[in-house]
Amino acid sequence: MSTWYLLGAGNMGLLAAYYLLQAGFPVTLLRRDTASPLRRRLTFADGRPSYDLILPVLSPAALTEPPRHLIVACKAPYSATALGQVPLTADTQVLRLQNGLGSLDGLLPEGVLPIEVVTTSAVKQDGPEQHQVVAENETWMGGGDAAPDWFEQLSAHWPNLSWPTDFQHRQWHKLVANAVINPLTALHDVPNGRLLEDRELQRQAAELCREADQLFTALDPTWPGDSLPRVMAVASATAGNTSSMRADVRKGARTEIDAINGYLLRRAAAQGLSLPAHERIVAAMTSET
Ligand code: PAF
């Protein structure tokens, strides 16, 4: 069975590696530091026994042939650096497990379209080498015509994983949630639930949703255009959480603003549309970091 190579051992990369191992697929982490295997303890909020995840590591420069399967789970702004040394061919199957959209555009060989992964599952780091699987919600894959041959085996071990026919709408719903919740909570340094309590944040959320709906309706007239209640439902379900962008700002890391709101602005520009609220929030985030 061919090895799955992983770029990015953050919360989501580790979760994917865990399910792949459960399904019997070998997983190797690609990173420069190959001194020792990666060891992480996964704990589960539902009380399941913890799991000690051990991944062999390999330097990308040591790959003797292009990987057959590659998971890109690093944060979007680090994609070019992470992919830099990995040899890829038109036969490499790339799974993109990142927030935002378009972060691999121009980085893959001609004709290679990544399989996109959108998840509403939640994992948080709760120690230097320990991560807690907080919720195993729905995960959707798509981006190709049909599910690949390994999908059935993987979905038997990855809870609530599906290959839906309306994948693009699901991906756009997640993108809008990220485009509203992430920068607003990052700029105001508040948990997600503050969007439900603060009038000014609600006004800005409504504006951001309206503009996103305008763009997606222009791209696809069947877009439901109901982003605001959906985004507020996500903010409510994750009320106590720190968004990933707020966490990035707090640790001084690069944020995913370009792959999220920046992506919306690029798609809008190609349609001749302007999205002033998204422009303002990108500018505010850019001066913040
Ligand atoms: O990026 C995140 O933090 C999450 O995807 C979500 C739910 C949109 C905000 O916390």
Side-chain angles (χ1 to χ4, degrees):
M1 197 169 290
S2 83
T3 298
W4 289 64
Y5 290 96
L6 173 65
L7 286 171
N11 288 324
M12 289 305 153
L14 293 173
L15 190 67
Y18 168 69
Y19 294 139
L20 282 161
L21 291 172
Q22 298 301 299
F25 298 108
V27 181
T28 292
L29 176 65
L30 289 177
R31 68 171 184 194
R32 291 227 183 92
D33 173 9
T34 55
S36 53
L38 180 96
R39 291 171 196 277
R40 293 289 182 268
R41 173 158 294 180
L42 292 187
T43 62
F44 298 87
D46 67 4
R48 243 178 301 162
S50 61
Y51 178 87
D52 288 322
L53 183 78
I54 302 174
L55 296 181
V57 294
L58 185 73
S59 164
L63 278 168
T64 49
E65 52 185 36
R68 178 87 188 87
H69 304 288
L70 179 71
I71 308 159
V72 183
C74 58
K75 291 272 188 168
Y78 302 101
S79 304
T81 315
L83 280 167
Q85 280 189 302
V86 183
L88 300 170
T89 66
D91 292 331
T92 307
Q93 257 175 4
V94 178
L95 248 71
R96 197 184 73 89
L97 184 41
Q98 299 175 308
N99 273 336
L101 264 164
S103 53
L104 304 187
D105 289 359
L107 299 179
L108 302 177
E110 186 82 21
V112 174
L113 277 182
I115 293 173
E116 300 278 341
V117 189
V118 175
T119 186
T120 59
S121 292
V123 181
K124 65 172 186 191
Q125 186 157 6
D126 63 357
E129 299 197 344
Q130 186 163 305
H131 297 251
Q132 187 185 36
V133 180
V134 180
E136 290 168 295
N137 298 327
E138 296 215 63
T139 300
W140 306 295
M141 288 190 185
D145 294 337
D149 51 2
W150 43 260
F151 184 79
E152 208 182 311
Q153 190 175 337
L154 182 57
S155 61
H157 296 271
W158 186 321
N160 307 316
L161 173 65
S162 62
W163 188 276
T165 47
D166 61 345
F167 176 76
Q168 186 167 74
H169 279 193
R170 293 172 195 239
Q171 188 175 38
W172 286 354
H173 287 309
K174 175 81 196 289
L175 184 72
V176 183
N178 283 133
V180 176
I181 298 173
N182 293 19
L184 288 178
T185 56
L187 285 168
H188 297 271
D189 195 19
V190 291
N192 296 354
R194 186 62 66 83
L195 262 68
L196 305 156
E197 295 152 10
D198 184 306
R199 281 261 176 106
E200 175 53 20
L201 291 185
Q202 280 171 7
R203 191 192 61 75
Q204 291 187 41
E207 227 180 341
L208 291 164
C209 286
R210 192 184 44 74
E211 289 183 4
D213 282 340
Q214 187 193 356
L215 168 65
F216 288 138
T217 305
L219 292 171
D220 175 356
T222 70
W223 174 249
D226 57 355
S227 287
L228 185 59
R230 285 176 178 273
V231 168
M232 287 306 181
V234 175
S236 169
T238 60
N241 293 10
T242 284
S243 76
S244 51
M245 199 172 283
R246 180 186 182 208
D248 286 339
V249 169
R250 286 186 150 192
K251 30 177 211 236
R254 288 172 69 186
T255 74
E256 298 181 301
I257 193 77
D258 186 60
I260 300 174
N261 304 73
Y263 174 84
L264 291 174
L265 292 179
R266 288 188 289 280
R267 293 296 302 259
Q271 294 292 312
L273 288 172
S274 74
L275 309 180
H278 288 274
E279 273 166 30
R280 280 196 299 275
I281 213 145
V282 169
M285 280 301 302
T286 312
S287 61
E288 173 85 5
T289 46

